[in-house]
Amino acid sequence: MSSVQLLQNVTLDDLATGADTTSATNEPTVARFLDHVLMTGNTFASHSVDGGASWTHLDPFTEFPHAAGGFCCDQIVIHHRGRNLWFRVLQYDTGPGGAPNIVRLAVSTNGTPAPGSWTTYDFAPQDFDSAWQTGTQLDRPDIATSSRHLFMTMNVFRENWLATVVMRIPLADLEAHAALNLEYYTLDANFGQRSSVCLTHGATTDMYMMGAEVGNPVRIFRWPDAPGSAMSQFDISTTLPWTGSLRQGDYISICPNGATNWLRKQHSRPAGWVTGNRVGFMWNALPNATRPQPWIKTLIADTTTMTVVAEPDLWSDIAWAYPAPCPNVNGVVGVSLFVGGVTLNPRHAVGFLDNNQWVLVATADSNEAPRGFPWGDYVSCATNDPDGTQWVASGYSLQGGFGGRFVEPQYVRFAIGP
């Protein structure tokens, strides 16, 4: 069996993240093209022009023009290697008097993620439903690409979850800075949907998504890449039993201090990939009689027959959570995730799937438990462009304390070793 080769494992210091601006709920993402690397978090961004050797802090609160109630939190960055496009999503707060917030899409077509290179597009709840003029908020945006489109998902809240918007934009429109030919669905109870959906990385002719449902079978959506195509849905039953939950607080994994549940913000949170005629999803499952800690359920299905091919789950006597998978150009699935609890404070790890077995290596161990705040919602894994056989991943750890200023983001570039 091959091993994981860590080519870079870099901890971003205070200068890279703006001193004490890192958030306790960090949620970092990263993308790379040649020597340009952009890493984002809930309250910071960092840019490298030398492949991750050195970093410059970017302030997302001031980098883009003010909108709604101002930048607040979630950010995502990805790179589309086929067209050399950079995409960045930023979530803004609600406006004065409870006016709806926006989610901002930034696009760079000059091959770099440098400040000043972005064209921006803003989306508000009422853009998708006139009934969402007041008291609503877009939350937890996500993006991924296919051969022809950029896909974006956003949850809509009015105190509680109302719906999930799934939209797509032709890459050609974004590349040309043209008017956007936007197509979208609002997924709600009419689709049998009760929460957010995840997009798949590596999509070409079809985008696949999975709903964060808590039962078996799981629901998978397919949106063909052809213009004007319609979304369809399938239910697939897993072979191996599992249960999940959409409620925060149901996932429990106590750190070595005997008090901190580092998964108290966790729920099922799926993440997915597609390569060739295989689509895969990973999500968080609750303990059972044989798996004593929260663990990661994995499902791989044939996209032609929509039947189960393999279920390479991740579990042990400590908890596994927050998986972020992505295939490389050879179809090998890399992953970024966390493991911890019982005897271990949260640890970031990366690896890949080899003959339906996960090969993993640690990148950063926390020496503190996240007391008083929840661990984040996500990390990321992406191909290292334009090489495409390697991966870049984001993670973080807590060092020397348990507040936001003790969070240390981790940039990782890794490959399949001997």
Side-chain angles (χ1 to χ4, degrees):
M1 181 178 289
S2 300
S3 61
V4 180
Q5 183 179 11
L6 291 180
L7 303 173
Q8 288 178 283
N9 190 21
V10 179
T11 302
L12 274 63
D13 61 18
D14 285 348
L15 289 177
T17 59
D20 293 340
T21 65
T22 47
S23 168
T25 307
N26 199 247
E27 301 174 345
T29 70
V30 69
R32 175 173 174 163
F33 176 71
L34 295 174
D35 284 335
H36 282 279
V37 191
L38 182 63
M39 191 167 187
T40 65
N42 238 343
T43 51
F44 78 94
S46 298
H47 180 211
S48 174
V49 297
D50 55 12
S54 62
W55 298 81
T56 299
H57 172 244
L58 306 176
D59 186 353
F61 292 90
T62 59
E63 184 182 353
F64 296 94
H66 183 84
F71 171 77
C72 70
C73 38
D74 289 352
Q75 290 190 87
I76 306 280
V77 61
I78 64 172
H79 178 261
H80 188 277
R81 65 192 308 268
R83 295 176 183 254
N84 191 15
L85 299 174
W86 287 84
F87 298 105
R88 185 171 167 188
V89 171
L90 304 94
Q91 181 176 330
Y92 286 67
D93 210 344
T94 53
N101 72 329
I102 66 160
V103 167
R104 174 166 285 167
L105 170 65
V107 184
S108 175
T109 60
N110 70 2
T112 80
S117 63
W118 303 96
T119 299
T120 61
Y121 305 86
D122 294 346
F123 301 96
Q126 62 267 30
D127 294 334
F128 307 102
D129 192 320
S130 59
W132 297 342
Q133 290 277 357
T134 58
T136 53
Q137 182 175 9
L138 298 175
D139 185 40
R140 184 59 173 91
D142 192 18
I143 51 174
T145 58
S146 60
S147 295
R148 295 184 180 186
H149 292 92
L150 173 78
F151 289 78
M152 182 186 296
T153 65
M154 297 171 285
N155 292 333
V156 185
F157 282 90
R158 182 179 282 135
E159 295 185 2
N160 297 311
W161 177 87
L162 288 177
T164 295
V165 173
V166 179
M167 68 178 185
R168 69 178 187 182
I169 306 166
L171 292 173
D173 290 356
L174 296 165
E175 193 172 32
H177 306 278
L180 302 183
N181 293 295
L182 181 66
E183 300 173 90
Y184 66 90
Y185 287 86
T186 54
L187 305 184
D188 53 23
N190 293 325
F191 282 83
Q193 188 59 27
R194 294 182 292 163
S195 69
S196 60
V197 298
C198 75
L199 300 165
T200 47
H201 293 282
T204 54
T205 59
D206 295 320
M207 174 58 71
Y208 292 87
M209 296 158 273
M210 178 181 153
E213 297 298 329
V214 295
N216 196 7
V218 297
R219 176 147 295 169
I220 296 175
F221 299 91
R222 172 194 271 156
W223 198 348
D225 210 29
S229 59
M231 183 187 293
S232 59
Q233 62 190 48
F234 308 86
D235 288 343
I236 297 182
S237 295
T238 64
T239 303
L240 303 175
W242 63 277
T243 56
S245 175
L246 295 176
R247 296 183 305 180
Q248 295 181 6
D250 284 356
Y251 290 81
I252 299 173
S253 178
I254 304 301
C255 290
N257 64 11
T260 300
N261 174 23
W262 71 284
L263 295 184
R264 70 181 179 89
K265 196 171 186 281
Q266 183 64 283
H267 61 66
S268 50
R269 299 193 191 284
W273 77 90
V274 60
T275 177
N277 66 341
R278 295 288 186 268
V279 62
F281 294 96
M282 307 175 77
W283 64 94
N284 301 292
L286 291 167
N288 58 34
T290 59
R291 301 180 179 186
Q293 287 281 306
W295 51 285
I296 295 174
K297 176 65 194 168
T298 306
L299 169 70
I300 302 175
D302 186 298
T303 58
T304 304
T305 62
M306 296 308 288
T307 56
V308 176
V309 172
E311 298 178 62
D313 299 338
L314 262 172
W315 65 278
S316 65
D317 57 356
I318 53 180
W320 297 83
Y322 301 103
C326 177
N328 69 5
V329 294
N330 296 324
V332 181
V333 180
V335 71
S336 174
L337 44 72
F338 287 106
V339 59
V342 187
T343 60
L344 183 70
N345 286 316
R347 163 186 287 172
H348 180 247
V350 299
F352 59 88
L353 190 61
D354 185 6
N355 292 320
N356 288 327
Q357 295 186 52
W358 292 101
V359 183
L360 301 167
V361 65
T363 70
D365 279 7
S366 301
N367 61 22
E368 290 282 350
R371 289 172 283 177
F373 66 86
W375 211 245
D377 286 340
Y378 54 87
V379 290
S380 75
C381 182
T383 56
N384 175 42
D385 294 333
D387 167 78
T389 63
Q390 303 170 4
W391 298 270
V392 292
S394 61
Y396 63 100
S397 65
L398 276 173
Q399 302 296 328
F402 49 86
R405 68 189 182 94
F406 298 102
V407 170
E408 295 191 352
Q410 202 77 11
Y411 164 67
V412 184
R413 180 166 61 93
F414 66 102
I416 301 172

